Amino acid sequence: MAEDLYPVPESWAADARVTAEGYATDYARSLDDATRFWLERADSLEWVSKPTVADESSFEEATFGVKWFADGVLNVSANCIDRHLATRRDQIAIIWEPDSPAADPRFITFTELHAEVCRFANVLKAQGVRKDDRVTLYLPMIPEAAFAMLACARIGAVHSIVFGGFSPEALAGRITDCDSRIVVTVDEGRRGGKTVPLKANVDAAAKLVTCLDTVIVVRATGGGVEMQPGRDIWYDEAAASVAAECAPEPMNAEDPLFLLYTSGSTGKPKGVLHTTGGYLLWASYTHACVFDCRDGDTYWCAADVGWVTGHSYIVYGPLANGVTTLMYEGVPNWPSPARMWQVVDRHKVTQLYTAPTALRALMKEGDDFVTGTSRASLRLLGSVGEPINPEAWRWYHDVVGEGRCPIVDTWWQTETGGHMITPLPGATALKPGSAASPFFGVEPLLVDAEGKVLEGATEGNLVIARSWPGQMRTVWGDHERFFQTYFSTYPGFYFTGDGARRDADGYWWITGRVDDVINVSGHRMGTAEVESALVLHRTVAEAAVVGFPHEIKGQGIYAYVTLNAGDPPSDALRKELVTWVRGEIGPIATPDAIQFTPGLPKTRSGKIMRRILRKIAEGDVSSLGDTSTLADPSVVDDLVANRVG
Ligand code: 6R9
């Protein structure tokens, strides 16, 4: 429909980094002449030794592996800091906006960033951290989180950030999985006017692990914490006696950079491993093309560094490009729903990148909180984390951006390292709710359930037909799981776990997960993880968890729970189970609904029919489909009769 197409604004068409013509030519080249294309692009980084090879990956079982720029040598922190010192010494690298609007922001120049990161690196070294060691970072949104990441990169240590919202149990599992002997944390975090006891959580996690011997504590709130002698050290005390110079470690392009745990459809969270050269090129090149920052811009990605979006688009992408990046400690709606727009005005933000769940929550509060601010500095708006519904898209475009800012709806995953399908602001006419076109080098396809490639305007499972520089390299400690999870379903292709539609104009529309992953407020949650947490409770015999549409969160968590004989269902127990799951995983896993049921719908072979559970959770009980293969079809009547919601 013509009225649904938003052309490239004049202001962008004039001098965008990528124009419509440029996109068409370069996209074709990125596939047809891939080696030359990527070796040229790799020149945008500073190498100790330039790569002479590009893609050496294979998705076939016999030759399986992902490898890019394998003879290149570089250091990520030198690319994000040192190389800018000649031209940007006094430019602000990081603006930090505190939780409370009454507190003072911090402005950190590239020169200061260099000193902070070197000092942090020297503290880590003094604690015995060496190349390839895993360092767990359990930190809130403070500049020290970026310093610690870049310090690890500087000395070749592998950081594993655990989101501050995860519980001690979840933190312990991640520390153990990668055998990390050191954790960096703070006394307390701050969010939305409340404090979060991160150090106390580390103490609780430490009781559950055996590998941990050192905890570095950054003083953030000054709130009292217990320090365990011989294990815990204050960062500021350790930093006082180290030098502000630390030479960057030359790293091979395929040396590990970081691990980030993410949920899948089965088992415990996987440690997604990204390496040095390909990842940095992907983060910086996508950042440059998609956000098209210019000197003097202030770019704000309102994610948390605990998620991949924070890794690639708060820290590595913008800093590699020498762009001023804003880090916000707080939440979008505190102290009021105007806060985000006030932050935009306070720091004259030019590009804003946030998630649909935040937009839907703010939209609900009415336009006055937005229109009471100027937002004149904004030139571009971005969306990430989940499909953006057209209503939220239009509100973002018309009210927040006053119709002048293009919206880049960027589809990607922890596994992809950076953007995969996205509009480019100077090249793409926009359709509300569509992620538009593949980025350079990305070859998306749709396949049916049997793996047959589908042509033309159609819908199917989204796969990627060839490797790209930012692709994850392995699942930490389990290379076989990497292959099985992503490459065995549709041989020869990377399977994303998402469904998608391609329309008659070739635009891509992501329809959401087709596996047992729920997307809650843009955060991935495996149904299996919530089920495992529930069955750990003494009263629970069995649990099945599904997603259902939720107005603000995108998807909510619906749990069907069968109790042990002798444990009667009650509202008190329901509350207890909700608290239990939060304790096991963290607040993002909070079930929205718990339905007690005497039994679950199972086939004769004992497989739970999730299709039926999803329908009931959605409230769509009129079309439950064929239930005749169930071992006990009467279970369904009980489920329908006692639906919660
Ligand atoms: C970056 C990030 C990945 C999953 C992905 C998909 C969903 C992300 C999206 C989107 C539609 C977008 N997703 N961006 N769906 N449109 N623009 O979110 O990584 O946490 O690993 O989640 O998020 O379902 O498969 P991650």
Side-chain angles (χ1 to χ4, degrees), residues 319-402:
L319 292 178
N321 292 334
V323 168
T324 303
T325 180
L326 190 148
M327 233 179 141
Y328 172 46
E329 187 180 33
V331 295
N333 57 0
W334 188 82
S336 90
R339 183 66 190 279
M340 284 192 67
W341 326 121
Q342 290 163 350
V343 173
V344 166
D345 284 354
R346 185 178 203 178
H347 299 293
K348 304 276 175 291
V349 170
T350 42
Q351 289 88 353
L352 171 67
Y353 190 32
T354 189
T357 185
L359 296 172
R360 285 192 299 264
L362 296 176
M363 185 167 81
K364 199 182 75 184
E365 304 290 340
D367 295 357
D368 291 353
F369 290 106
V370 187
T371 54
T373 62
S374 157
R375 288 155 291 109
S377 55
L378 287 173
R379 288 207 316 275
L380 177 141
L381 301 169
S383 174
V384 60
E386 53 181 312
I388 180 166
N389 46 310
E391 193 194 357
W393 194 100
R394 290 204 176 83
W395 184 77
Y396 201 21
H397 185 268
D398 298 347
V399 180
V400 175
E402 297 174 336

Side-chain angles (χ1 to χ4, degrees), residues 62-405:
T63 49
F64 178 67
V66 179
K67 199 158 110 177
W68 282 82
F69 310 120
D71 60 350
V73 177
L74 76 168
N75 180 281
V76 166
S77 93
N79 270 277
C80 290
I81 309 170
D82 306 45
R83 70 162 160 158
H84 303 313
L85 293 179
T87 50
R88 302 179 186 275
R89 308 192 56 81
D90 301 322
Q91 185 195 309
I92 307 298
I94 298 176
I95 298 177
W96 179 70
E97 169 70 17
D99 187 48
S100 164
D104 288 330
R106 280 172 71 181
F107 301 92
I108 298 142
T109 64
F110 276 99
T111 304
E112 289 161 345
L113 181 63
H114 180 261
E116 295 280 6
V117 169
C118 286
R119 241 184 254 119
F120 218 116
N122 285 331
V123 168
L124 293 174
K125 274 184 170 171
Q127 293 307 316
V129 177
R130 300 285 173 262
K131 189 174 174 222
D132 289 335
D133 287 352
R134 275 77 58 207
V135 176
T136 301
L137 308 180
Y138 187 59
L139 289 165
M141 287 290 290
I142 56 175
E144 283 75 9
F147 303 162
M149 293 165 78
L150 291 161
C152 287
R154 199 161 186 91
I155 63 176
V158 183
H159 61 70
S160 165
I161 306 191
V162 179
F163 173 57
F166 279 124
S167 68
E169 280 73 15
L171 171 62
R174 287 155 172 79
I175 292 171
T176 299
D177 187 77
C178 68
D179 197 21
S180 166
R181 48 161 286 263
I182 185 158
V183 173
V184 181
T185 190
V186 284
D187 43 9
E188 297 169 318
R190 273 199 186 97
R191 259 169 79 86
K194 302 192 184 86
T195 54
V196 191
L198 294 185
K199 171 62 166 66
N201 287 353
V202 172
D203 293 341
K207 296 200 172 78
L208 307 171
V209 307
T210 53
C211 52
L212 185 64
D213 62 37
T214 303
V215 179
I216 300 180
V217 187
V218 174
R219 222 181 291 266
T221 63
V225 293
E226 254 172 61
M227 297 293 275
Q228 182 176 309
R231 187 195 71 185
D232 300 349
I233 55 169
W234 285 107
Y235 175 72
D236 51 4
E237 290 170 13
S241 57
V242 298
E245 274 296 335
C246 170
E249 183 81 21
M251 303 292 286
N252 181 271
E254 282 300 343
D255 280 335
L257 176 64
F258 68 81
L259 268 173
L260 183 56
Y261 285 84
T262 193
S263 299
S265 52
T266 56
K268 56 184 171 84
K270 300 180 279 286
V272 167
L273 182 79
H274 282 289
T275 58
T276 299
Y279 170 79
L280 188 64
L281 181 64
W282 196 249
S284 60
Y285 186 46
T286 51
H287 181 272
C289 296
V290 172
F291 298 111
D292 207 344
C293 296
R294 304 300 164 93
D295 283 349
D297 279 358
T298 295
Y299 155 90
W300 178 19
C301 166
D304 190 287
V305 289
W307 309 115
V308 74
T309 305
H311 285 62
S312 300
Y313 299 113
I314 294 178
V315 179
Y316 291 120
L319 292 178
N321 292 334
V323 168
T324 303
T325 180
L326 190 148
M327 233 179 141
Y328 172 46
E329 187 180 33
V331 295
N333 57 0
W334 188 82
S336 90
R339 183 66 190 279
M340 284 192 67
W341 326 121
Q342 290 163 350
V343 173
V344 166
D345 284 354
R346 185 178 203 178
H347 299 293
K348 304 276 175 291
V349 170
T350 42
Q351 289 88 353
L352 171 67
Y353 190 32
T354 189
T357 185
L359 296 172
R360 285 192 299 264
L362 296 176
M363 185 167 81
K364 199 182 75 184
E365 304 290 340
D367 295 357
D368 291 353
F369 290 106
V370 187
T371 54
T373 62
S374 157
R375 288 155 291 109
S377 55
L378 287 173
R379 288 207 316 275
L380 177 141
L381 301 169
S383 174
V384 60
E386 53 181 312
I388 180 166
N389 46 310
E391 193 194 357
W393 194 100
R394 290 204 176 83
W395 184 77
Y396 201 21
H397 185 268
D398 298 347
V399 180
V400 175
E402 297 174 336
R404 75 176 176 273
C405 306

